[in-house]
Every structure is written in structure tokens, then in C-alpha cells.
Coordinates of all heavy atoms in Angstrom, one line a residue:
M1 N 16.7 -18.7 -8.7 CA 16.0 -18.4 -7.5 C 14.7 -19.4 -7.4 O 14.0 -19.5 -8.4 CB 15.5 -17.0 -7.5 CG 14.9 -16.6 -6.2 SD 14.3 -14.9 -6.1 CE 15.7 -13.9 -6.4
S2 N 14.6 -20.1 -6.3 CA 13.4 -21.0 -6.2 C 12.1 -20.2 -6.0 O 12.1 -19.0 -5.6 CB 13.7 -21.9 -5.0 OG 13.5 -21.3 -3.8
Y3 N 11.1 -20.9 -6.2 CA 9.8 -20.3 -6.0 C 9.6 -19.8 -4.6 O 9.0 -18.8 -4.3 CB 8.6 -21.2 -6.4 CG 8.3 -21.2 -7.9 CD1 8.3 -22.3 -8.7 CD2 8.0 -20.0 -8.5 CE1 8.0 -22.3 -10.0 CE2 7.7 -20.0 -9.9 CZ 7.7 -21.1 -10.6 OH 7.4 -21.1 -12.0
E4 N 10.1 -20.7 -3.7 CA 9.9 -20.3 -2.2 C 10.6 -19.0 -1.9 O 10.1 -18.2 -1.2 CB 10.5 -21.5 -1.4 CG 10.2 -21.3 0.1 CD 10.5 -22.5 0.9 OE1 10.2 -23.6 0.5 OE2 11.1 -22.2 2.0
V5 N 11.8 -18.9 -2.4 CA 12.6 -17.6 -2.2 C 11.9 -16.4 -2.8 O 11.8 -15.4 -2.3 CB 14.0 -17.7 -2.7 CG1 14.8 -16.4 -2.6 CG2 14.8 -18.8 -1.8
E6 N 11.4 -16.6 -4.1 CA 10.7 -15.6 -4.7 C 9.4 -15.2 -4.0 O 9.1 -14.0 -3.9 CB 10.3 -16.0 -6.2 CG 11.5 -16.1 -7.1 CD 11.2 -16.6 -8.5 OE1 10.0 -17.0 -8.7 OE2 12.1 -16.7 -9.3
R7 N 8.7 -16.2 -3.5 CA 7.5 -15.9 -2.7 C 7.8 -15.2 -1.5 O 7.1 -14.2 -1.1 CB 6.7 -17.2 -2.4 CG 6.1 -17.8 -3.7 CD 5.3 -19.1 -3.6 NE 5.0 -19.5 -2.2 CZ 5.1 -20.8 -1.8 NH1 5.5 -21.7 -2.6 NH2 4.8 -21.1 -0.6
E8 N 8.8 -15.5 -0.8 CA 9.2 -14.8 0.4 C 9.6 -13.4 0.1 O 9.2 -12.4 0.9 CB 10.4 -15.5 1.1 CG 10.0 -16.8 1.8 CD 11.2 -17.5 2.4 OE1 12.3 -16.9 2.6 OE2 11.1 -18.8 2.6
A9 N 10.3 -13.2 -1.0 CA 10.7 -11.8 -1.4 C 9.4 -11.0 -1.7 O 9.3 -9.8 -1.4 CB 11.6 -11.9 -2.6
L10 N 8.4 -11.6 -2.4 CA 7.2 -10.9 -2.7 C 6.5 -10.5 -1.4 O 5.9 -9.4 -1.3 CB 6.3 -11.8 -3.5 CG 6.7 -11.9 -5.0 CD1 5.9 -13.0 -5.7 CD2 6.4 -10.6 -5.7
I11 N 6.4 -11.4 -0.4 CA 5.7 -11.1 0.8 C 6.5 -10.0 1.6 O 5.8 -9.1 2.1 CB 5.6 -12.4 1.7 CG1 4.6 -13.4 1.1 CG2 5.2 -12.1 3.1 CD1 4.6 -14.7 1.7
T12 N 7.8 -10.0 1.6 CA 8.6 -9.0 2.2 C 8.3 -7.6 1.5 O 8.1 -6.6 2.2 CB 10.1 -9.3 2.2 OG1 10.3 -10.6 2.9 CG2 10.9 -8.2 2.8
A13 N 8.4 -7.6 0.2 CA 8.1 -6.4 -0.5 C 6.7 -5.9 -0.3 O 6.5 -4.7 -0.1 CB 8.3 -6.6 -2.0
A14 N 5.7 -6.8 -0.2 CA 4.4 -6.4 0.1 C 4.3 -5.7 1.4 O 3.6 -4.7 1.6 CB 3.4 -7.6 0.0
G15 N 5.0 -6.3 2.4 CA 5.0 -5.7 3.7 C 5.6 -4.3 3.8 O 5.1 -3.4 4.5
T16 N 6.6 -4.1 2.9 CA 7.2 -2.7 2.8 C 6.1 -1.7 2.3 O 6.0 -0.6 2.8 CB 8.4 -2.7 1.9 OG1 9.4 -3.6 2.5 CG2 9.0 -1.4 1.8
W17 N 5.4 -2.1 1.3 CA 4.4 -1.3 0.7 C 3.2 -1.1 1.7 O 2.6 0.0 1.8 CB 3.9 -1.8 -0.6 CG 4.9 -1.6 -1.7 CD1 5.7 -2.5 -2.2 CD2 5.1 -0.4 -2.4 NE1 6.5 -2.0 -3.2 CE2 6.2 -0.7 -3.3 CE3 4.6 0.9 -2.4 CZ2 6.7 0.3 -4.2 CZ3 5.1 1.9 -3.2 CH2 6.1 1.6 -4.1
Q18 N 2.9 -2.1 2.4 CA 1.8 -2.0 3.4 C 2.2 -1.0 4.5 O 1.4 -0.2 4.9 CB 1.6 -3.4 4.1 CG 0.4 -3.4 5.0 CD 0.1 -4.8 5.5 OE1 1.0 -5.6 5.6 NE2 -1.1 -5.0 5.8
S19 N 3.5 -1.0 4.9 CA 4.0 -0.1 5.9 C 4.0 1.4 5.4 O 3.6 2.3 6.1 CB 5.4 -0.4 6.3 OG 5.5 -1.6 7.0
A20 N 4.4 1.5 4.1 CA 4.3 2.8 3.5 C 2.9 3.3 3.4 O 2.7 4.5 3.6 CB 5.0 2.7 2.1
E21 N 2.0 2.5 3.1 CA 0.6 2.9 3.1 C 0.1 3.4 4.4 O -0.5 4.5 4.5 CB -0.3 1.7 2.7 CG -1.8 2.1 2.7 CD -2.7 0.9 2.8 OE1 -2.3 -0.3 2.7 OE2 -4.0 1.1 2.9
G22 N 0.5 2.7 5.5 CA 0.2 3.2 6.8 C 0.8 4.5 7.1 O 0.1 5.4 7.7
E23 N 2.0 4.7 6.7 CA 2.7 6.0 6.9 C 1.9 7.1 6.1 O 1.7 8.3 6.7 CB 4.1 6.0 6.5 CG 5.0 5.1 7.3 CD 5.1 5.6 8.8 OE1 5.1 6.8 9.0 OE2 5.2 4.7 9.6
M24 N 1.5 6.8 4.9 CA 0.7 7.8 4.2 C -0.6 8.1 4.8 O -1.1 9.3 4.9 CB 0.5 7.3 2.7 CG 1.7 7.3 1.8 SD 2.3 9.0 1.5 CE 3.8 8.9 2.5
R25 N -1.3 7.1 5.4 CA -2.5 7.3 6.1 C -2.3 8.2 7.3 O -3.1 9.1 7.6 CB -3.2 6.0 6.5 CG -3.6 5.1 5.4 CD -4.9 5.6 4.7 NE -5.2 4.7 3.6 CZ -5.9 5.0 2.6 NH1 -6.3 6.3 2.5 NH2 -6.2 4.2 1.6
T26 N -1.2 8.0 8.1 CA -0.9 8.8 9.2 C -0.7 10.2 8.8 O -1.1 11.2 9.4 CB 0.3 8.2 10.0 OG1 0.0 6.9 10.4 CG2 0.7 9.0 11.2
A27 N 0.1 10.4 7.7 CA 0.4 11.7 7.2 C -0.9 12.4 6.8 O -1.0 13.6 7.0 CB 1.4 11.7 6.1
Q28 N -1.7 11.7 6.1 CA -3.0 12.3 5.7 C -3.8 12.8 6.9 O -4.3 13.9 6.9 CB -3.8 11.2 4.9 CG -5.1 11.8 4.4 CD -6.0 10.7 3.7 OE1 -5.9 9.5 4.0 NE2 -6.8 11.1 2.8
S29 N -3.9 11.9 7.9 CA -4.7 12.3 9.1 C -4.1 13.5 9.8 O -4.8 14.4 10.2 CB -4.7 11.1 10.0 OG -5.4 11.4 11.2
T30 N -2.8 13.5 9.8 CA -2.1 14.6 10.5 C -2.3 15.9 9.7 O -2.6 17.0 10.2 CB -0.6 14.4 10.6 OG1 -0.4 13.2 11.4 CG2 0.2 15.5 11.2
A31 N -2.2 15.8 8.3 CA -2.4 17.0 7.5 C -3.8 17.5 7.7 O -4.0 18.8 7.8 CB -2.1 16.6 6.0
R32 N -4.8 16.7 7.7 CA -6.2 17.1 7.9 C -6.4 17.8 9.2 O -7.3 18.7 9.3 CB -7.1 15.9 7.7 CG -7.3 15.5 6.3 CD -8.7 15.0 6.0 NE -8.8 14.4 4.7 CZ -8.9 15.0 3.6 NH1 -8.9 16.3 3.5 NH2 -8.9 14.3 2.5
S33 N -5.6 17.4 10.2 CA -5.9 18.0 11.6 C -5.2 19.3 11.8 O -5.5 20.0 12.8 CB -5.4 17.0 12.6 OG -4.0 16.9 12.6
I34 N -4.3 19.7 10.9 CA -3.6 21.0 11.0 C -4.5 22.1 10.4 O -4.8 22.1 9.3 CB -2.3 21.0 10.3 CG1 -1.4 19.9 10.9 CG2 -1.6 22.4 10.5 CD1 -0.1 19.7 10.2
S35 N -4.9 23.1 11.3 CA -5.7 24.2 10.8 C -5.1 25.5 11.2 O -4.4 25.6 12.2 CB -7.1 24.0 11.2 OG -7.2 24.1 12.6
V36 N -5.5 26.5 10.5 CA -5.1 27.9 10.9 C -6.4 28.7 11.0 O -7.2 28.7 10.1 CB -4.2 28.5 9.8 CG1 -3.9 30.0 10.1 CG2 -2.9 27.8 9.7
T37 N -6.6 29.3 12.1 CA -7.8 30.1 12.3 C -7.3 31.6 12.4 O -6.2 31.9 12.4 CB -8.4 29.7 13.7 OG1 -7.6 30.0 14.7 CG2 -8.8 28.3 13.7
T38 N -8.3 32.4 12.5 CA -8.0 33.9 12.6 C -7.3 34.1 13.9 O -6.4 35.0 13.9 CB -9.4 34.7 12.6 OG1 -10.1 34.3 11.4 CG2 -9.1 36.1 12.7
I39 N -7.5 33.4 14.9 CA -6.8 33.6 16.2 C -5.3 33.2 16.0 O -4.4 33.8 16.5 CB -7.5 32.8 17.3 CG1 -8.8 33.3 17.6 CG2 -6.6 32.7 18.6 CD1 -9.7 32.4 18.5
D40 N -5.1 32.1 15.2 CA -3.7 31.6 15.0 C -2.9 32.6 14.1 O -1.7 32.8 14.3 CB -3.7 30.3 14.2 CG -4.3 29.2 15.1 OD1 -4.2 29.2 16.3 OD2 -5.0 28.3 14.5
A41 N -3.6 33.2 13.1 CA -2.9 34.1 12.2 C -3.2 35.6 12.6 O -2.5 36.1 13.5 CB -3.3 33.8 10.8
S42 N -4.2 36.1 12.0 CA -4.6 37.5 12.3 C -5.9 37.8 11.6 O -6.3 37.0 10.6 CB -3.6 38.5 12.0 OG -3.5 38.6 10.6
I43 N -6.5 38.8 11.9 CA -7.7 39.2 11.1 C -7.3 39.6 9.7 O -8.1 39.4 8.8 CB -8.5 40.4 11.9 CG1 -9.9 40.6 11.2 CG2 -7.7 41.7 11.8 CD1 -10.8 39.5 11.4
V44 N -6.1 40.1 9.5 CA -5.7 40.5 8.2 C -5.5 39.2 7.3 O -5.9 39.2 6.2 CB -4.3 41.2 8.3 CG1 -3.7 41.5 6.9 CG2 -4.4 42.5 9.0
A45 N -5.1 38.1 7.9 CA -5.0 36.9 7.2 C -6.3 36.4 6.7 O -6.5 35.9 5.6 CB -4.3 35.8 8.1
E46 N -7.3 36.6 7.5 CA -8.7 36.3 7.2 C -9.2 37.2 6.0 O -9.8 36.7 5.1 CB -9.6 36.4 8.4 CG -11.0 35.9 8.1 CD -11.1 34.4 7.9 OE1 -10.4 33.6 8.5 OE2 -12.0 34.1 7.0
V47 N -8.9 38.4 6.2 CA -9.4 39.4 5.2 C -8.8 39.2 3.8 O -9.5 39.2 2.8 CB -9.1 40.9 5.6 CG1 -9.4 41.9 4.5 CG2 -10.0 41.2 6.9
V48 N -7.5 38.9 3.8 CA -6.8 38.7 2.5 C -7.0 37.3 1.9 O -6.5 36.9 0.9 CB -5.3 39.0 2.5 CG1 -5.2 40.5 2.9 CG2 -4.6 38.1 3.5
G49 N -7.7 36.4 2.7 CA -8.0 35.0 2.2 C -6.9 34.0 2.5 O -7.0 32.9 2.0
F50 N -6.0 34.3 3.4 CA -4.9 33.4 3.7 C -5.5 32.1 4.4 O -5.1 31.0 4.0 CB -3.9 34.0 4.7 CG -2.9 33.0 5.2 CD1 -1.9 32.6 4.4 CD2 -3.1 32.5 6.5 CE1 -1.0 31.6 4.9 CE2 -2.2 31.6 7.0 CZ -1.1 31.1 6.2
T51 N -6.4 32.3 5.3 CA -6.9 31.1 6.0 C -7.7 30.2 5.1 O -7.6 28.9 5.2 CB -7.7 31.5 7.3 OG1 -8.7 32.4 6.9 CG2 -6.9 32.1 8.3
S52 N -8.5 30.7 4.2 CA -9.2 29.9 3.3 C -8.3 29.2 2.3 O -8.5 28.1 1.9 CB -10.4 30.6 2.6 OG -9.8 31.7 1.8
T53 N -7.3 30.0 1.8 CA -6.3 29.4 0.9 C -5.5 28.3 1.6 O -5.3 27.2 1.0 CB -5.4 30.5 0.3 OG1 -6.1 31.5 -0.3 CG2 -4.4 29.9 -0.6
Y54 N -5.2 28.5 2.8 CA -4.4 27.5 3.6 C -5.3 26.2 3.7 O -4.8 25.1 3.5 CB -4.1 28.0 5.0 CG -3.5 26.9 5.8 CD1 -2.1 26.7 5.7 CD2 -4.3 26.2 6.6 CE1 -1.6 25.6 6.5 CE2 -3.8 25.1 7.4 CZ -2.4 24.9 7.3 OH -1.9 23.8 8.0
A55 N -6.6 26.4 4.0 CA -7.5 25.2 4.1 C -7.6 24.5 2.8 O -7.6 23.2 2.8 CB -8.8 25.7 4.6
E56 N -7.6 25.2 1.7 CA -7.7 24.5 0.4 C -6.4 23.7 0.1 O -6.5 22.6 -0.4 CB -7.9 25.6 -0.8 CG -9.3 26.2 -0.8 CD -9.4 27.3 -1.7 OE1 -8.5 27.5 -2.6 OE2 -10.4 28.1 -1.6
V57 N -5.3 24.3 0.4 CA -4.0 23.7 0.1 C -3.9 22.5 1.1 O -3.5 21.4 0.7 CB -2.8 24.7 0.4 CG1 -1.5 23.9 0.4 CG2 -2.8 25.7 -0.7
R58 N -4.3 22.6 2.3 CA -4.2 21.5 3.3 C -5.1 20.4 2.8 O -4.6 19.2 2.8 CB -4.7 22.0 4.7 CG -4.7 20.9 5.7 CD -5.7 21.1 6.8 NE -7.0 21.3 6.3 CZ -7.9 22.2 6.8 NH1 -7.6 22.9 7.8 NH2 -9.1 22.3 6.3
D59 N -6.3 20.7 2.4 CA -7.2 19.6 1.9 C -6.6 18.9 0.6 O -6.7 17.7 0.5 CB -8.5 20.2 1.6 CG -9.3 20.6 2.8 OD1 -8.9 20.2 4.0 OD2 -10.3 21.3 2.7
R60 N -6.0 19.7 -0.2 CA -5.4 19.1 -1.4 C -4.2 18.2 -1.1 O -4.1 17.1 -1.6 CB -4.9 20.2 -2.4 CG -4.3 19.7 -3.7 CD -5.3 18.9 -4.5 NE -4.7 18.5 -5.8 CZ -4.8 17.3 -6.3 NH1 -5.7 16.4 -5.8 NH2 -4.2 17.0 -7.4
V61 N -3.4 18.6 -0.2 CA -2.2 17.8 0.3 C -2.8 16.5 0.9 O -2.3 15.4 0.7 CB -1.3 18.6 1.2 CG1 -0.3 17.7 1.9 CG2 -0.6 19.7 0.5
A62 N -3.8 16.6 1.8 CA -4.4 15.4 2.4 C -4.9 14.5 1.4 O -4.8 13.3 1.5 CB -5.4 15.9 3.4
D63 N -5.6 15.0 0.4 CA -6.2 14.2 -0.7 C -5.1 13.5 -1.4 O -5.2 12.3 -1.8 CB -7.0 15.0 -1.7 CG -8.3 15.5 -1.1 OD1 -8.7 15.0 0.0 OD2 -8.9 16.5 -1.7
L64 N -4.0 14.2 -1.7 CA -2.8 13.5 -2.4 C -2.2 12.4 -1.6 O -1.8 11.4 -2.1 CB -1.8 14.6 -2.8 CG -2.2 15.6 -3.9 CD1 -1.2 16.7 -4.1 CD2 -2.4 14.8 -5.3
L65 N -2.1 12.7 -0.3 CA -1.6 11.6 0.6 C -2.5 10.4 0.6 O -2.0 9.3 0.6 CB -1.4 12.2 2.0 CG -0.2 13.2 2.2 CD1 -0.3 13.9 3.5 CD2 1.1 12.5 2.0
G66 N -3.8 10.6 0.6 CA -4.7 9.5 0.5 C -4.6 8.8 -0.8 O -4.7 7.5 -0.8
E67 N -4.4 9.5 -1.9 CA -4.2 8.8 -3.2 C -2.9 8.0 -3.2 O -2.9 6.9 -3.8 CB -4.2 9.9 -4.3 CG -5.6 10.5 -4.6 CD -5.5 11.7 -5.6 OE1 -4.5 11.7 -6.4 OE2 -6.5 12.5 -5.6
A68 N -1.9 8.6 -2.6 CA -0.6 7.8 -2.5 C -0.8 6.6 -1.7 O -0.3 5.5 -2.1 CB 0.4 8.7 -1.9
A69 N -1.6 6.7 -0.6 CA -1.9 5.5 0.2 C -2.6 4.4 -0.6 O -2.3 3.2 -0.5 CB -2.6 5.9 1.5
E70 N -3.6 4.8 -1.4 CA -4.3 3.9 -2.2 C -3.4 3.2 -3.2 O -3.6 2.0 -3.5 CB -5.5 4.6 -2.9 CG -6.6 5.0 -2.0 CD -7.3 3.7 -1.3 OE1 -7.5 2.7 -2.0 OE2 -7.5 3.8 -0.1
A71 N -2.5 4.0 -3.8 CA -1.6 3.4 -4.8 C -0.7 2.4 -4.1 O -0.4 1.3 -4.7 CB -0.8 4.5 -5.5
M72 N -0.2 2.7 -2.9 CA 0.6 1.8 -2.2 C -0.1 0.5 -1.8 O 0.4 -0.6 -1.8 CB 1.2 2.5 -1.0 CG 2.2 3.5 -1.4 SD 2.8 4.5 0.0 CE 3.8 5.7 -0.9
K73 N -1.4 0.7 -1.5 CA -2.2 -0.5 -1.1 C -2.4 -1.4 -2.4 O -2.3 -2.6 -2.3 CB -3.6 -0.1 -0.6 CG -4.5 -1.2 -0.2 CD -5.8 -0.7 0.3 CE -6.7 -1.8 0.8 NZ -6.5 -3.2 0.4
L74 N -2.5 -0.8 -3.5 CA -2.7 -1.5 -4.8 C -1.4 -2.3 -5.1 O -1.5 -3.5 -5.4 CB -3.0 -0.6 -5.9 CG -3.1 -1.2 -7.3 CD1 -4.3 -2.2 -7.3 CD2 -3.3 -0.1 -8.4
V75 N -0.3 -1.7 -4.9 CA 1.0 -2.4 -5.0 C 1.1 -3.6 -4.1 O 1.4 -4.7 -4.4 CB 2.2 -1.5 -4.9 CG1 3.5 -2.3 -5.0 CG2 2.2 -0.5 -6.0
D76 N 0.8 -3.3 -2.8 CA 0.8 -4.4 -1.8 C -0.1 -5.5 -2.1 O 0.3 -6.7 -2.1 CB 0.4 -3.7 -0.4 CG 0.1 -4.7 0.7 OD1 0.9 -5.7 0.8 OD2 -0.8 -4.5 1.5
D77 N -1.4 -5.2 -2.5 CA -2.3 -6.2 -2.9 C -1.9 -7.0 -4.1 O -2.0 -8.3 -4.2 CB -3.7 -5.6 -3.2 CG -4.4 -5.1 -1.9 OD1 -3.9 -5.5 -0.8 OD2 -5.3 -4.3 -2.0
T78 N -1.3 -6.3 -5.1 CA -0.8 -7.0 -6.3 C 0.3 -8.0 -6.0 O 0.3 -9.1 -6.5 CB -0.4 -6.0 -7.3 OG1 -1.5 -5.1 -7.7 CG2 0.1 -6.6 -8.6
L79 N 1.3 -7.5 -5.2 CA 2.4 -8.4 -4.8 C 1.8 -9.6 -4.1 O 2.3 -10.8 -4.3 CB 3.4 -7.7 -4.0 CG 4.2 -6.6 -4.7 CD1 5.0 -5.8 -3.7 CD2 5.1 -7.2 -5.8
K80 N 0.9 -9.5 -3.2 CA 0.3 -10.6 -2.4 C -0.4 -11.5 -3.4 O -0.4 -12.8 -3.3 CB -0.6 -10.1 -1.3 CG 0.1 -9.5 -0.2 CD -0.8 -8.9 0.9 CE -0.1 -8.3 2.0 NZ -1.0 -7.6 2.9
D81 N -1.1 -11.0 -4.4 CA -1.8 -11.8 -5.4 C -0.9 -12.6 -6.2 O -1.1 -13.8 -6.5 CB -2.7 -10.9 -6.3 CG -3.9 -10.4 -5.6 OD1 -4.3 -10.9 -4.5 OD2 -4.6 -9.4 -6.1
I82 N 0.3 -12.0 -6.6 CA 1.3 -12.7 -7.4 C 1.8 -13.9 -6.5 O 2.0 -15.0 -7.0 CB 2.4 -11.7 -7.8 CG1 1.9 -10.7 -8.8 CG2 3.6 -12.5 -8.4 CD1 2.8 -9.6 -9.1
E83 N 2.1 -13.6 -5.3 CA 2.6 -14.7 -4.4 C 1.6 -15.8 -4.3 O 2.0 -17.0 -4.4 CB 2.9 -14.1 -3.0 CG 3.6 -15.1 -2.1 CD 2.7 -16.1 -1.4 OE1 1.5 -15.7 -1.1 OE2 3.1 -17.2 -1.1
K84 N 0.3 -15.5 -4.1 CA -0.7 -16.5 -4.1 C -0.7 -17.4 -5.4 O -0.9 -18.6 -5.3 CB -2.1 -15.9 -3.8 CG -2.2 -15.4 -2.4 CD -3.6 -14.7 -2.2 CE -3.6 -14.0 -0.9 NZ -4.8 -13.2 -0.8
Q85 N -0.6 -16.7 -6.5 CA -0.6 -17.4 -7.8 C 0.6 -18.3 -7.9 O 0.5 -19.4 -8.4 CB -0.7 -16.4 -9.0 CG -0.9 -17.1 -10.3 CD -2.2 -17.8 -10.4 OE1 -3.2 -17.3 -10.0 NE2 -2.1 -19.1 -10.7
Y86 N 1.8 -17.8 -7.5 CA 3.0 -18.6 -7.5 C 2.7 -19.9 -6.7 O 3.1 -21.0 -7.1 CB 4.2 -17.9 -6.9 CG 5.0 -17.1 -7.9 CD1 6.0 -16.2 -7.4 CD2 4.8 -17.2 -9.3 CE1 6.8 -15.5 -8.3 CE2 5.6 -16.5 -10.1 CZ 6.6 -15.6 -9.7 OH 7.4 -14.9 -10.5
R87 N 2.2 -19.7 -5.5 CA 1.9 -20.8 -4.6 C 0.9 -21.8 -5.2 O 1.2 -23.0 -5.2 CB 1.4 -20.3 -3.2 CG 1.3 -21.4 -2.2 CD 1.0 -20.9 -0.8 NE 0.7 -19.5 -0.6 CZ -0.5 -18.9 -0.4 NH1 -1.5 -19.7 -0.5 NH2 -0.6 -17.6 -0.3
R88 N -0.2 -21.3 -5.8 CA -1.1 -22.2 -6.5 C -0.5 -23.0 -7.6 O -0.7 -24.2 -7.8 CB -2.3 -21.4 -7.0 CG -3.3 -21.0 -5.9 CD -4.6 -20.5 -6.4 NE -4.4 -19.2 -7.2 CZ -4.6 -18.0 -6.7 NH1 -4.9 -17.9 -5.4 NH2 -4.4 -16.9 -7.4
D89 N 0.3 -22.2 -8.4 CA 1.0 -22.9 -9.6 C 2.0 -24.0 -9.1 O 2.0 -25.1 -9.7 CB 1.7 -21.9 -10.4 CG 0.8 -20.9 -11.2 OD1 -0.4 -21.2 -11.2 OD2 1.3 -19.9 -11.7
D90 N 2.7 -23.6 -8.0 CA 3.7 -24.6 -7.5 C 3.0 -25.8 -6.9 O 3.4 -27.0 -7.2 CB 4.5 -23.9 -6.4 CG 5.8 -24.6 -6.1 OD1 6.4 -25.2 -7.0 OD2 6.3 -24.4 -5.0
D91 N 1.9 -25.6 -6.2 CA 1.1 -26.7 -5.6 C 0.5 -27.6 -6.7 O 0.5 -28.8 -6.6 CB 0.0 -26.2 -4.7 CG 0.6 -25.6 -3.4 OD1 1.8 -25.8 -3.1 OD2 -0.2 -24.9 -2.7
A92 N 0.0 -26.9 -7.8 CA -0.6 -27.7 -8.9 C 0.5 -28.5 -9.6 O 0.3 -29.6 -10.0 CB -1.3 -26.7 -9.9
A93 N 1.7 -27.9 -9.8 CA 2.8 -28.7 -10.5 C 3.2 -29.9 -9.6 O 3.4 -31.0 -10.1 CB 4.0 -27.7 -10.7
L94 N 3.3 -29.7 -8.3 CA 3.7 -30.8 -7.4 C 2.6 -31.9 -7.5 O 2.9 -33.1 -7.5 CB 3.9 -30.3 -6.0 CG 5.1 -29.4 -5.8 CD1 5.1 -28.9 -4.4 CD2 6.4 -30.3 -6.0
A95 N 1.4 -31.5 -7.5 CA 0.3 -32.5 -7.5 C 0.3 -33.2 -8.9 O 0.1 -34.4 -8.9 CB -1.1 -31.8 -7.4
A96 N 0.6 -32.5 -10.0 CA 0.6 -33.2 -11.3 C 1.8 -34.2 -11.3 O 1.7 -35.3 -11.9 CB 0.8 -32.1 -12.4
I97 N 2.9 -33.8 -10.8 CA 4.1 -34.7 -10.7 C 3.8 -35.9 -9.8 O 4.1 -37.0 -10.2 CB 5.4 -33.9 -10.3 CG1 5.8 -32.9 -11.3 CG2 6.5 -34.9 -9.9 CD1 6.9 -32.0 -10.8
G98 N 3.2 -35.6 -8.7 CA 2.8 -36.7 -7.8 C 1.8 -37.7 -8.4 O 1.9 -38.9 -8.1
D99 N 0.9 -37.2 -9.2 CA 0.0 -38.1 -9.9 C 0.7 -39.0 -11.0 O 0.3 -40.1 -11.2 CB -1.1 -37.3 -10.6 CG -2.1 -36.7 -9.5 OD1 -2.1 -37.1 -8.4 OD2 -2.8 -35.8 -9.9
A100 N 1.7 -38.4 -11.6 CA 2.4 -39.1 -12.6 C 3.5 -40.0 -12.1 O 3.8 -41.0 -12.8 CB 3.0 -38.1 -13.6
W101 N 4.1 -39.7 -11.0 CA 5.2 -40.5 -10.5 C 5.3 -40.4 -9.0 O 5.1 -39.4 -8.4 CB 6.5 -39.9 -11.1 CG 7.8 -40.6 -10.6 CD1 8.3 -41.8 -11.1 CD2 8.6 -40.2 -9.5 NE1 9.4 -42.1 -10.4 CE2 9.6 -41.2 -9.4 CE3 8.6 -39.1 -8.7 CZ2 10.6 -41.1 -8.4 CZ3 9.6 -39.1 -7.7 CH2 10.6 -40.0 -7.6
S102 N 5.6 -41.5 -8.4 CA 5.8 -41.6 -7.0 C 7.1 -42.5 -6.7 O 7.2 -43.5 -7.3 CB 4.6 -42.2 -6.3 OG 4.9 -42.5 -4.9
P103 N 7.9 -42.1 -5.8 CA 9.1 -42.9 -5.6 C 8.8 -44.3 -5.0 O 9.6 -45.2 -5.1 CB 10.0 -42.1 -4.6 CG 9.0 -41.1 -4.0 CD 7.9 -40.9 -5.0
T104 N 7.6 -44.5 -4.4 CA 7.2 -45.8 -3.8 C 6.4 -46.6 -4.8 O 6.2 -47.7 -4.6 CB 6.5 -45.6 -2.5 OG1 5.3 -44.8 -2.8 CG2 7.4 -44.9 -1.4
N105 N 6.0 -45.9 -5.9 CA 5.2 -46.6 -6.9 C 5.6 -46.2 -8.3 O 4.9 -45.4 -8.9 CB 3.7 -46.3 -6.6 CG 2.8 -47.1 -7.5 OD1 3.2 -48.1 -8.1 ND2 1.5 -46.7 -7.6
P106 N 6.7 -46.8 -8.7 CA 7.3 -46.4 -10.1 C 6.4 -46.7 -11.2 O 5.6 -47.4 -11.4 CB 8.6 -47.0 -10.1 CG 8.7 -48.0 -9.0 CD 7.6 -47.8 -8.1

């Protein structure tokens, strides 16, 4: 596999992780916006602690979705960094070869 094909594959994979990060951010935002109030449930739910327990669980789920998004961003950034390093190495190798040999100046 050539470096160009590998670099394209890295960029494609990074895009997949970037999309997944966006989905996790959307899910996190949606999770944070879902609430249960006494009106939604009942006064009994409030008395037995359902609404506060629900809020704690909701916040934990939202936090986990945020952590997942951060992990996905890290993978995305890492893949992009690897592609950049491949490109720099490839350009440096081409420059070194060009300095040592040229088809018009043997």
C-alpha cells in the first residue's frame, strides 16, 4: 500500500471518528435536556426520591457520553497527526532523493 493510499485511509478513518464524536455530543446534549419533574411523575416520586435519583443517573449518563466524545476526538486527532507525520516523512524523503539525484542532472 502506498503512502498516499495509507494517508487517505487515515483521513477517512479520522472522519469516521469525528462523526462519532459529534453523535456523542448530540446524545450528551439530549440526555442533559431530559428531565423529570414532580408534575411529570407524581408527588410520590418526589417523596421516595425518584426524581433526584433520575437526575443523578441522567447526569452520569451525560458525563459518560461526554467522556466517550473526548475519547473519540483523541482517536480522530491521533489519526490526523499520524497522517501529517506520514506526509512530512514522505516529503522529506522526496526532497532528499531530489537533492541526491535528478533525471535532468545525473
Side-chain angles (χ1 to χ4, degrees):
M1 184 182 303
S2 74
Y3 276 123
E4 188 171 317
V5 172
E6 289 175 0
R7 287 180 14 222
E8 287 176 21
L10 286 166
I11 290 169
T12 299
T16 300
W17 286 100
Q18 186 176 30
S19 293
E21 176 199 355
E23 293 295 325
M24 287 295 110
R25 295 281 180 211
T26 299
Q28 179 186 29
S29 177
T30 300
R32 286 217 190 277
S33 70
I34 300 171
S35 62
V36 173
T37 65
T38 304
I39 295 169
D40 297 326
S42 70
I43 192 67
V44 175
E46 183 68 37
V47 170
V48 298
F50 171 78
T51 52
S52 61
T53 301
Y54 174 84
E56 290 172 14
V57 171
R58 178 204 57 217
D59 291 344
R60 180 67 179 137
V61 168
D63 290 345
L64 289 171
L65 289 166
E67 289 173 20
E70 287 299 317
M72 291 173 186
K73 181 178 180 352
L74 180 60
V75 173
D76 171 40
D77 291 344
T78 300
L79 291 171
K80 288 176 181 172
D81 288 345
I82 292 168
E83 186 278 329
K84 287 176 191 171
Q85 187 61 51
Y86 271 171
R87 188 171 3 103
R88 283 192 296 267
D89 291 349
D90 201 26
D91 291 346
L94 288 173
I97 291 170
D99 290 344
W101 175 84
S102 170
T104 59
N105 187 15

